[in-house]
Amino acid sequence: MRTIYISALCLPLLGCNQSDILEEPAISARSCDTKMLGTTISIPAGTFIMGANPQYREEGPPRTIAVEAFRIDAHEVTNAQFSEFVDATGYVTEAEKSPPGADKLPPDMREPGSAVFIEPKQPGQQWWIWTTGADWRHPTGPNSTIDGKPAYPAVHISYNDAKAYADWKGGALPSEEQWEYAARAGAPDSNAPLDAQGNIEANHYQ
């Protein structure tokens, strides 16, 4: 069975919500810690409704999807794990390179960098700001660092970067169907991730 590696994107942690879908014992969202890092979880075959109550038109229509059994990382790829990959291969992420067609981009987007989340202070304000020098080693810009954060998820990782890591590990990235099936963890459709008390949780801007 091929292992699916969760790319270091801004995605909720898998395996941190109670569920009957996981073969291993589930753990609560507030108990996630380093004891699960580097482990994989078996996801049994099954079906689910994909595109239920779609927020955007392209997410629908609702349809029944069958998924074969697979394994998936319990957590996103960490800084330590991605560092091991880079040290072994010399890989350079796309955020560390000048973007394709840089000469046609606005001057402030021609240098290597990435978008950094800035909490909006008022409605309608831009959430993501292009930041020159932001990459996986410098999460919020050139003066930031991942020192002391080996278990944090690696960020500013593109699809191609994530695929290169998964290929190196001998695994694969999850398909859209696999990711939604695993991330739902057997829960019914919801407009937002909620805890047992109905409060919004996970990586959801409020």
Side-chain angles (χ1 to χ4, degrees), residues 86-138:
V86 170
D87 290 344
T89 64
Y91 186 84
V92 178
T93 64
E94 294 190 339
E96 298 172 275
K97 305 174 184 176
S98 293
D103 58 323
K104 298 179 181 179
L105 296 174
D108 61 344
M109 297 180 66
R110 294 176 183 174
E111 299 298 322
S114 186
V116 174
F117 179 81
I118 305 296
E119 183 176 344
K121 302 300 181 183
Q122 57 189 15
Q125 187 175 354
Q126 179 66 40
W127 294 12
W128 296 91
I129 305 298
W130 178 267
T131 305
T132 299
D135 56 48
W136 73 277
R137 292 188 178 91
H138 309 95

Side-chain angles (χ1 to χ4, degrees), residues 8-56:
L9 307 173
C10 297
L11 300 171
L13 295 181
L14 169 63
C16 298
N17 291 315
Q18 293 184 355
S19 165
D20 294 330
I21 196 172
L22 306 179
E23 292 181 359
E24 286 80 355
I27 54 179
S28 73
R30 288 169 174 72
S31 68
C32 289
D33 57 32
T34 55
K35 68 183 180 181
M36 292 292 289
L37 293 179
T39 63
T40 60
I41 293 174
S42 294
I43 307 296
T47 60
F48 74 106
I49 304 298
M50 185 173 182
N53 190 23
Q55 183 174 357
Y56 301 102

Side-chain angles (χ1 to χ4, degrees), residues 4-17 21-22 43 48 50 65 67-68 70-77 172-186 202-203:
I4 304 297
Y5 292 91
I6 303 178
S7 61
L9 307 173
C10 297
L11 300 171
L13 295 181
L14 169 63
C16 298
N17 291 315
I21 196 172
L22 306 179
I43 307 296
F48 74 106
M50 185 173 182
I65 299 294
V67 181
E68 295 182 357
F70 62 97
R71 295 190 64 83
I72 193 167
D73 276 2
H75 284 264
E76 294 97 334
V77 175
L173 296 179
S175 66
E176 181 181 357
E177 292 81 4
Q178 288 172 323
W179 170 252
E180 183 170 341
Y181 179 61
R184 277 175 179 253
N203 297 336

